[in-house]
Amino acid sequence: MSDKDQQDKNTHFGFQTVAESEKAKRVADVFHSVAARYDLMNDLMSGGIHRLWKRFTIELSGVRPGNKVLDIAGGTGDLTRKFSKLVGPEGEVVLADINDSMLKVGRDRLLDLGVAGNVRFVQADAEALPFPDNHFDCITIAFGLRNVTHKDRAIASMLRVLKPGGRLLVLEFSKPGNKMLSKAYDQYSFRLLPLMGKLVTNDSESYRYLAESIRMHPDQETLKAMMVEAGFARVTYHNMTGGVVALHRGIKP
């Protein structure tokens, strides 16, 4: 493929079709806009249930003292904070995010909470992680994979930096199995979510994109197949809240 063809290749930004080179900037603009009130909006959007989804992710991670953990798209640091306690002073947690506004909010929040000694902050692209091969015991990516342009590249990059026997956990919005729930979820996503975004952050369009990006994300079985194709073993997923959210887990052989 020529450089021009590569530059002209298109992808999805929500329901819009945009050039791949444009998507990263537009996603960045979304998170620059919402970073300051990201935690508040998460609580409002999920009724606080996102904390239960993340707690289950922690429980399934199998993280122990001394482990090295990578929290990709770690945002404001909810998972990083918990992992920091689990790995202890001999372990390490890397909070990575491609968006410098989100990374700054997460760093400031964790420092304010006294979480610092075993945590590093790295601005990184999930498609090309700047870490050595076979380095981490566990990788998590919570509500971030759907924003990645080449999800297959990101999954392969995560596999590379995991140690053999290491675990990848992908927590992401997914596809409800019940038709009635799916219809209600659509109404909520496309009517109430942008309204809340307008009222709380004065930014309805960013939250409209977030709703659209959820619909464009692969469903549970498709994402499972992508992880298997990348080389992960024993890939399973757990539906939560009727499939509104799914937690995928895979092991590096």
Side-chain angles (χ1 to χ4, degrees):
M1 181 181 292
S2 71
D3 289 343
K4 184 178 187 303
D5 288 339
Q6 184 64 43
Q7 290 170 0
D8 291 344
K9 194 171 182 183
N10 291 331
T11 187
H12 293 289
F13 176 79
F15 289 164
Q16 300 176 49
T17 299
V18 300
E20 286 187 352
S21 57
E22 183 185 351
K23 177 173 179 174
K25 180 184 182 302
R26 295 185 67 171
V27 170
D29 288 344
V30 167
F31 286 95
H32 285 314
S33 173
V34 304
R37 297 197 174 184
Y38 188 76
D39 283 338
L40 174 60
M41 280 301 296
N42 274 350
D43 282 329
L44 290 174
M45 288 188 299
S46 70
I49 298 174
H50 74 99
R51 300 180 187 277
L52 298 178
W53 299 332
K54 290 171 182 173
R55 184 183 303 169
F56 184 60
T57 303
I58 297 285
E59 291 173 356
L60 217 64
S61 71
V63 167
R64 302 185 300 274
N67 278 176
K68 288 184 172 68
V69 179
L70 173 60
D71 182 15
I72 301 174
T76 54
D78 284 347
L79 291 178
T80 292
R81 183 184 178 193
K82 301 290 187 184
F83 284 133
S84 174
K85 293 179 181 178
L86 287 174
V87 303
E90 302 303 317
E92 181 184 52
V93 184
V94 177
L95 191 162
D97 204 296
I98 195 172
N99 185 275
D100 58 341
S101 294
M102 292 296 294
L103 196 63
K104 183 179 185 302
V105 169
R107 182 177 64 245
D108 291 349
R109 180 187 179 206
L110 292 178
L111 290 174
D112 287 345
L113 292 169
V115 179
N118 60 359
V119 175
R120 286 198 295 134
F121 303 92
V122 177
Q123 188 170 0
D125 183 346
E127 294 183 23
L129 293 168
F131 306 108
D133 295 356
N134 307 314
H135 187 71
F136 293 101
D137 298 284
C138 181
I139 296 175
T140 57
I141 179 166
F143 307 114
L145 187 61
R146 72 179 187 278
N147 297 310
V148 174
T149 302
H150 304 103
K151 296 174 180 60
D152 53 345
R153 293 184 195 171
I155 293 169
S157 186
M158 295 176 211
L159 181 73
R160 178 185 64 78
V161 302
L162 272 174
K163 296 177 182 177
R167 291 86 61 199
L168 169 64
L169 292 103
V170 180
L171 179 65
E172 188 55 88
F173 291 107
S174 200
K175 304 295 187 288
N178 180 281
K179 289 185 178 180
M180 291 292 289
L181 176 59
S182 184
K183 287 182 179 179
Y185 185 43
D186 280 345
Q187 289 292 314
Y188 165 78
S189 298
F190 293 110
R191 292 180 182 272
L192 289 180
L193 197 55
L195 178 60
M196 282 193 289
K198 177 67 174 176
L199 293 173
V200 176
T201 69
N202 197 32
D203 182 359
S204 60
E205 288 306 307
S206 288
Y207 285 91
R208 193 180 313 281
Y209 159 72
L210 293 176
E212 292 175 358
S213 70
I214 291 168
R215 298 310 183 279
M216 299 304 295
H217 186 66
D219 64 20
Q220 289 91 326
E221 285 293 332
T222 303
L223 181 54
K224 178 182 177 180
M226 290 173 68
M227 292 173 66
V228 171
E229 176 69 20
F232 281 95
R234 293 156 53 193
V235 179
T236 58
Y237 64 83
H238 301 266
N239 283 328
M240 294 179 279
T241 317
V244 168
V245 164
L247 177 62
H248 285 68
R249 182 175 186 263
I251 311 294
K252 180 171 179 175

